[in-house]
Amino acid sequence: MASESECVAVAEPPHVHLHLHPDGTEPLAHIAVDYCPEACHHASEDGEIHVTYDDRGGARWRSRCRFLPGGAIAATIRAPAGDTAGLNYNLYLSSLEGSRDMDEIDFEFLGHDKCAVQTNFHVAGGGGREQIHVLPFDSSDGFHHYAIAWGADAIEWRIDGELIRREERVAGEPWPEKPMFLYASVWDASHINDGKWTGTYHGRDAPYICSYKDIRVPLALSLEDEEDPYKCACVGDASATTAAAADAAEELDAGDAPAAAAAAAADAAEQVDAGDSPAATAATDAAEQVGAGDVPASAAAADVVEEVDAGAVADYIVLAHRSLPDLRPVNLYGIGPRDSDQSWAPSQKGPNRRETGTMKLHHPVASQQHRGARRTRCAESERDEMPNVALLSAASPSTSSAAPRLRHVARRRPSRRSACPRSAASKLSIMAALGEDPIREWILTEGKATKITGVSSIGGGCINSAQCYKTDAGSFFVKTNGRIGPSMFEGEALGLKAMYDTNSIRVPLPYKVGSLPTGGSFIIMEFIEFGRSRGDQSALGRKLAEMHKAAKSDKGYGFYVDNTIGSTPQINTWTADWIEFYSKHRLGFQLELITQRFGDSAIYDKGQRLIENMHPLFEGAAMEPCLLHGDLWSGNISSDTNGEPVILDPACYYGHNEAEFGMSWCAGFGGEFYSSYFEVMPKQPGFEKRRDLYLLYHYLNHYNLFGTGYRSSAMSIIDDYLRMLKA
């Protein structure tokens, strides 16, 4: 933390700086956006990236490949203007953000002081090497150049070409050696060290924009993805596919062939990276011609953006694992032996052999098991026992199964042909082609609205699309999915309603779940206007504990229906014993999926040994089946305009309350959160011993969703427990 860091002054830079483009680097052409892509704009034609922090939160972008030691990264950065207290904006290398054993090298700007920057490096998850450097300028006044060179024997940090820090490897000491992505993000770090690190976020000058340009990455020291039929084109490749989408829109008449136009646009746009808004939105022109602006039922009528990059996971993720050539580091910034002029070059002592495998996110075996489990669990009779489920009224009638399977457009812009007026007859023909709109129908009847005044896209994440419907009776939040039936949203609605009924923490009230005429499903719920921060940590901890205390189940551990955690099936069969439930339906199920997808018998065998021997971890703990949100990470936590905490997008079930903290590694819970929580729900004996056991479920799920980058974190937890339990 900053309070424990060494402060170092940075000399006033000279007027001319040499070597701002270190040898052996090239411009960064392609990026992925890990979350909130609408807050990250990549102008690929001039290489600029702008990350905005406002009431949506911030965003994080990264390179599409990892880089080996022996290279340099650099960027010219302008920090956000205004009072940025509480914010952290940065540029850093990391083997995998969020991993327990990540290597990392970073520049971090601490929002309460724009005339300082922190440098640090982590090895296998361990940091503690912070230094604060006093800058001779305000980092928001203009662009300045920041670079990191990283080799087998030294790390150097430079600002405007001047060396500000150098760390040399010490024999026997840990050193960052893993291949690393280049990352940058803007986020609210107010909760860290009670605001002493970055200050406390107020947001009085929002939106805050951090700008990056002239971004350089190592040349020929990267682990590039193999070509794959499921792989989307990158941001830098957008121009040709943008033109293809535009051509599709120009050539097809909306009134005569709405389905064909949408399909053509979707096909063209499948090659475009969703992270690049101008390219992706160009592909929606054809979908506009089928009435996307006039017929909200077409929310299922074109899905341009749902097959996206690995940072915003959708249908498929391409993952590569390969044996690497033996590469020696390249001297880019004078890095290496201190006084040596030796220029290092890559050398290969073995064959440049790469063994690549791909993973399909929706695994057919898992999907089949999930469907089978749902069929055999008498879901209808169980729903009858769930109170207040009238909101889950029957799905709307579907059109013929022969109807074309179109997909949803996540972003819109004015059509190229918007100057051409459409006749009423044209609108009617579109309605007839798409079928009735159950979303609009519900809003204008049971929703008590007489007119819809606007529909706007508000993102929706990597699996679903989301819109805000503004009406004369208020606003409604609508999520749609063009491929999955209503069962997924039923599970979400049941969870939201169960949490809502505790009258503890604020959640959006669900109103309606149903099928879309063209396939897929929707959910309509209360629209909550978010505030400018995640709210008070103390209030979040207290209200979450109140929910856990208020909602208990007399049926045991489980839930009324199976649901999903991300896009992975989550089995919720009622079970009387918590250890049995967690062993079988959480850890055991994830381990089985890993075996099916990756053939990883080593982690399966060790995981089973842990399951068989973990009973002592629960000795002395009083466990009750409490209602859990189930997927409580920072992206599912916000606050309303009054500052009250809001939680959303649940994967609910009744479980041991401590399991709620399983996503704490990317939730940012601070000391105030835990103190307030345990005032209401007292800490149980052995809490610290069980803590990583609940992290393990989510690391295993990330392994299944995102690939082998999370394997080491999961295996590390398993190995630690096997040693602790002497199993």
Side-chain angles (χ1 to χ4, degrees), residues 13-14 16-18 20 76 136-137 143-147 158-164:
V16 179
H17 299 294
L18 302 178
L20 295 188
T76 306
F137 52 81
F143 282 94
H144 292 269
H145 193 267
Y146 304 83
R158 292 174 182 261
I159 299 178
D160 289 332
E162 296 297 313
L163 180 68
I164 65 163

Side-chain angles (χ1 to χ4, degrees), residues 294-319:
D294 302 318
V295 188
S298 63
D303 174 301
V304 173
V305 196
E306 287 198 340
E307 291 173 354
V308 298
D309 61 70
V313 182
D315 261 353
Y316 301 105
I317 295 177
V318 179
L319 298 164

